[in-house]
């Protein structure tokens, strides 16, 4: 009987898809608990690359139950496209289950995400424009549409009539955009309901049963700790809770049943979108890391901002999620970097801060304090055991472990399944 919550410990894109896929081989169920198709999780199997936005990265294993929990916001059109994309590549999707309580991303959510970003102008968040924020706004305002509603024409019509009245006022009067027609929306979403009916389930019950039977459950976080609505660099965050606690709320799974928390962290740092980034590199080293790491967004294709490993930030992630194990990814990207830095503290107005500041203003004024490590200047992508790693790489990993006091369980040295070194087994 075991459960692992896998989370991003930075600003997203840490390689959660790859590590989820790797662990999914031994898991009986893989569960997404928050976010939506703002996520882009890449899994490479042999010569094939899969980009998943909504469906858990465990789907590539035919016997694994894959759950989209109640905490996820689901765009049914994207879901159907993703199902088709997988089926066309001979992936068995029959193990998918979607919570009846998950909220639905409606056309007005996508429109409003775009219009609100435009209106913010220079203060934009840099969202993925997938309607995520507006969908969570309606959930909190208690005017959301849930997956289960798509199966009940009367209920959907009644709820939609009330919501659409208000959304059309907003679209027309505030944003001077075209209103949406209720019959069009209703027909489209009832048709989506019919198409996804076979997957809809009581997923809290299902996952608890699987765990109670003694089987293994893996929770797959999307985004990352610093994008968390409550604990991230607000307002430059997403609208859900990627931290480990989010798994309890987003699935209906009690905290006493969570056995391990795996923090996925890159050997350096990246960020997409706006907001402060203390260890950002605006120089050739940053460009080199972006090139070597192919750091371009999986969802939007935007170049990712790159910088050094930030220990202050990582220790904060350990604190807010109770990270028990680390998966260190993309070590190979540093293979050709001569001198590698780790940020061990921040300087703020002359004083050294050892903990992550809560104020965004303070964070944007922090200067990183670095220690420098010699690079290993050799390829690690063929390495398959810890012992085979170059000494400098081992020292870099051990230093991160020493500063965080968290055990390294997995080291990734490339995007493929086999480019993975296990130092401690999680299941
Ligand atoms: P996620 O959102 O956390 O799942 O991460 P993304 O899939 O958006 O971005 C991570 C990218 O790095 C993907 O293209 C992966 O295939 C790739 N990747 C994952 N782990 C490694 C690794 O250890 N080395 C290299 N070179 N690439 C990796
Ligand atoms: P994965 O799961 C990196 C960022 C956006 C933007 C902010 C808010 O692949 O790690 P949103 O559309 O969520 O309202 O945008 O969050 N963002 C991500 N950055 N990886 C992600 O997901 C992200 N999902 C959202 O760039 O800054
Ligand atoms: Mg991603």
């Amino acid at each position: 009987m075991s459960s692992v919550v896998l989370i991003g410990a930075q600003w997203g894109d840490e390689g959660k898809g790859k590590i989820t896929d790797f662990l999914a081989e031994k898991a009986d169920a893989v569960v997404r608990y928050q976010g939506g198709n703002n996520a882009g999780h890449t899994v490479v199997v042999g010569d094939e690359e899969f980009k998943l936005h909504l469906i858990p990265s465990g789907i590539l294993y035919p016997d694994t139950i894959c759950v989209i929990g109640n905490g996820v916001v689901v765009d049914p059109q994207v879901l159907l496209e993703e199902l088709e994309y997988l089926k066309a590549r001979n992936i068995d999707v029959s193990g998918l289950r979607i919570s009846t309580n998950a909220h639905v991303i409606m056309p007005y959510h996508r429109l409003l995400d775009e219009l609100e970003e435009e209106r913010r102008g220079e203060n934009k968040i840099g969202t993925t424009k997938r309607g995520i924020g507006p969908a969570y706004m309606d959930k909190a305002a208690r005017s959301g549409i849930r997956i289960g509603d798509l199966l009940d024409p009367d209920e959907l019509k009644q709820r939609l009539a009330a919501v659409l009245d208000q959304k059309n006022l907003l679209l027309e009067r505030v944003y001077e955009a075209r209103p949406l027609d209720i019959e069009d929306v209703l027909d489209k979403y009832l048709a989506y309901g019919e198409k996804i009916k076979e997957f809809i389930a009581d997923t809290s019950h299902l996952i608890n049963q699987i765990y109670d039977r003694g089987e293994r459950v893996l929770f797959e976080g999307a985004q990352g700790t610093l994008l968390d609505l409550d604990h991230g660099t607000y307002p430059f965050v997403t609208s859900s809770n990627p931290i480990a606690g989010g798994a309890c709320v987003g699935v209906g799974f009690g905290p006493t049943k969570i056995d391990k928390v795996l923090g996925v962290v890159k050997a350096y740092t990246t960020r997409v979108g706006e907001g402060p980034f203390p260890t950002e590199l605006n120089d050739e080293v940053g460009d080199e890391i972006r090139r070597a790491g192919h750091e371009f967004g999986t969802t939007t294709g935007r170049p990712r901002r790159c910088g050094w490993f930030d220990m202050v930030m990582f220790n904060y992630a350990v604190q807010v999620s109770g990270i028990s194990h680390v998966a260190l990814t993309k070590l190979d990207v540093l293979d050709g970097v001569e001198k590698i830095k780790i940020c061990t503290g921040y300087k703020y107005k002359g004083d050294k801060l050892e903990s992550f500041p809560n104020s965004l203003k303070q964070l944007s004024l922090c200067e990183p304090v670095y220690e420098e490590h010699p690079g290993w200047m050799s390829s690690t992508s063929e390495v398959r055991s810890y012992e085979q790693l170059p000494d400098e790489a081992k020292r870099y990993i051990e230093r991160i472990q020493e500063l965080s006091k968290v055990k390294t369980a997995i080291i990734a040295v490339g995007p493929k399944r086999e480019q993975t070194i296990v130092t401690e087994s999680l299941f």
Side-chain angles (χ1 to χ4, degrees), residues 266-282:
K266 271 180 199 173
Y268 49 94
T269 310
T270 62
R271 169 164 213 176
V272 216
E274 310 302 316
F277 180 173
T279 64
E280 183 167 14
L281 286 164
N282 290 306

Side-chain angles (χ1 to χ4, degrees), residues 314-326:
F314 182 57
N315 278 333
Y316 175 70
V318 172
Q319 172 195 305
V320 295
S321 281
I323 293 174
S324 59
H325 296 78
V326 172

Side-chain angles (χ1 to χ4, degrees), residues 277-422:
F277 180 173
T279 64
E280 183 167 14
L281 286 164
N282 290 306
D283 59 10
E284 298 99 76
V285 184
D287 293 343
E288 172 57 22
I289 292 176
R290 185 175 309 106
R291 195 198 53 74
H294 306 290
E295 294 296 356
F296 296 88
T298 310
T299 299
T300 58
R302 290 177 288 178
R304 294 174 183 152
R305 300 157 65 192
C306 298
W308 296 122
F309 191 94
D310 187 338
M311 207 65 220
V312 188
M313 197 170 102
F314 182 57
N315 278 333
Y316 175 70
V318 172
Q319 172 195 305
V320 295
S321 281
I323 293 174
S324 59
H325 296 78
V326 172
L328 186 71
T329 62
K330 303 192 96 162
L331 186 73
D332 56 298
V333 174
L334 300 181
D335 284 352
V337 183
E338 245 172 271
K339 287 175 182 154
I340 305 170
K341 291 183 183 176
I342 298 178
C343 164
T344 55
Y346 293 154
K347 260 223 161 110
Y348 177 69
K349 292 189 173 166
D351 295 327
K352 190 171 173 190
L353 301 183
E354 307 254 325
S355 60
F356 197 75
N358 280 144
S359 138
L360 194 75
K361 216 177 205 171
Q362 197 179 358
L363 181 68
S364 56
L365 294 172
C366 280
E367 271 180 56
V369 178
Y370 289 117
E371 60 178 37
E372 199 174 89
H373 295 260
W376 41 96
M377 302 305 283
S378 61
S379 172
T380 55
S381 57
E382 302 299 320
V383 173
R384 297 292 176 268
S385 77
Y386 188 78
E387 291 67 38
Q388 287 171 355
L389 281 170
D391 287 344
E392 292 84 354
K394 279 189 213 154
R395 271 201 290 279
Y396 184 65
I397 297 165
E398 277 156 22
R399 185 63 181 146
I400 290 173
Q401 194 161 290
E402 187 177 84
L403 290 168
S404 65
K405 301 181 185 69
V406 182
K407 282 178 274 190
T408 308
I410 297 171
I411 299 155
V413 290
K416 296 185 176 175
R417 271 184 188 163
E418 60 271 23
Q419 291 176 306
T420 313
I421 300 168
V422 178

